């Protein structure tokens, strides 16, 4: 694990680790994509940040698992190459989005028999924007899945954002200083954990 992390850092620019954002909403102007962009800004200068493109990942079907569908293989490679993940998720019907669970199910499976999952043991943190519940139920349904995959959580509270009626009308995420500070704290914790790998 330690050596692999060093190699990935060296492949970029010799100093910066890589953080992959996984946004749980596929909507182009989603609030969670906007929140992920804020998180990327908080990591600026300390990590190479990219957004996972997973809109073509199909519904999981064990009959189609081997060989992996092209979109699944690309997502697996992106996750494996990242030093850490930042999941940014909405909340649908008091739980995680079905498409996000589907993506995690694909990523949890080996690329071939006997190969490890790129998710197992990966360093991560999580944020989300949703209704007045601040995506607490989405976090609650995601946690058992992520813990089963033995993912390593950065030592910072997950940031949940409540969306106001005005935000839904403008389709623009507006964050107060407390939320911005919480996201920055997550970024600090994630970078600190990567540096300890």
């Amino acid at each position: 694990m330690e050596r692999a992390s060093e190699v990935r850092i060296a492949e970029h620019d010799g100093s910066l680790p890589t953080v992959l954002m996984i946004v749980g909403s596929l909507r182009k102007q989603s609030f969670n994509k906007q929140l992920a962009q804020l998180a990327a800004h908080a990591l600026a200068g300390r990590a190479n940040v990219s957004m996972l493109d997973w809109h073509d990942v199909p519904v999981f079907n064990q009959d189609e698992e081997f060989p992996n569908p092209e979109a699944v293989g690309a997502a697996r490679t992106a996750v494996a190459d990242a030093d850490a993940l930042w999941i940014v998720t909405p909340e649908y019907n008091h739980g995680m989005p079905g498409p996000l669970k589907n993506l995690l199910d694909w990523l949890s499976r080996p690329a071939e028999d006997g190969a490890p999952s790129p998710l197992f043991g990966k360093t991560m943190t999580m944020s989300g924007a949703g209704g007045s519940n601040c995506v607490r139920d989405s976090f609650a349904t995601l946690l058992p899945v992520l813990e089963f995959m033995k993912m390593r959580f950065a030592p910072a509270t997950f940031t949940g954002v409540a969306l106001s009626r005005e935000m839904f009308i403008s389709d623009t995420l507006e964050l107060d200083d407390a939320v911005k500070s919480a996201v920055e704290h997550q970024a600090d914790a994630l970078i600190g954990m990567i540096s300890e790998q």
Side-chain angles (χ1 to χ4, degrees):
M1 179 77 174
E2 200 172 83
R3 179 58 188 155
S5 177
E6 291 172 1
V7 170
R8 286 196 295 274
I9 292 171
E11 285 174 349
H12 278 81
D13 65 3
S15 61
L16 297 181
T18 58
V19 175
L20 182 66
M21 298 284 175
I22 299 179
V23 180
S25 169
L26 294 172
R27 189 170 71 90
K28 288 183 179 179
Q29 188 60 22
S30 78
F31 295 111
N32 283 277
K33 187 173 290 184
Q34 295 176 56
L35 183 57
Q37 290 165 346
L38 172 69
H41 180 73
L43 291 165
R46 298 186 290 170
N48 292 304
V49 181
S50 58
M51 302 274 181
L52 180 66
D53 180 2
W54 58 280
H55 70 279
D56 285 334
V57 170
V59 173
F60 181 76
N61 181 346
Q62 207 164 4
D63 290 338
E64 300 175 2
E65 188 172 8
F66 302 115
N68 295 163
E70 184 177 349
V72 173
R76 277 208 179 101
T77 297
V79 169
D81 287 346
D83 292 294
L85 307 178
W86 195 323
I87 295 176
V88 188
T89 181
E91 180 172 299
Y92 296 166
N93 299 312
H94 294 282
M96 77 173 91
L100 177 59
K101 177 59 164 60
N102 179 66
L103 173 67
L104 294 173
D105 287 341
W106 269 115
L107 293 174
S108 73
R109 306 287 287 184
E112 57 188 27
D113 284 336
S117 160
L119 285 179
F120 279 83
K122 186 71 71 172
T123 295
M124 67 150 300
T125 193
M126 185 163 51
S127 302
S132 59
N133 193 41
C134 295
V135 299
R136 284 189 289 267
D137 289 340
S138 187
F139 290 160
T141 54
L142 270 163
L143 272 172
V145 176
L146 303 176
E147 288 172 343
F148 175 75
M149 296 172 186
K150 303 191 186 316
M151 299 189 78
R152 303 171 65 244
F153 301 105
T157 302
F158 300 147
T159 303
V161 179
L163 299 174
S164 67
R165 180 179 177 82
E166 290 73 25
M167 290 185 209
F168 280 110
I169 293 171
S170 67
D171 210 19
T172 301
L173 185 66
E174 296 180 8
L175 302 175
D176 59 26
D177 289 343
V179 171
K180 292 177 182 177
S181 177
V183 171
E184 289 171 2
H185 179 62
Q186 279 187 273
D188 292 343
L190 193 64
I191 292 297
M193 195 163 185
I194 294 170
S195 68
E196 294 172 0
Q197 292 178 171

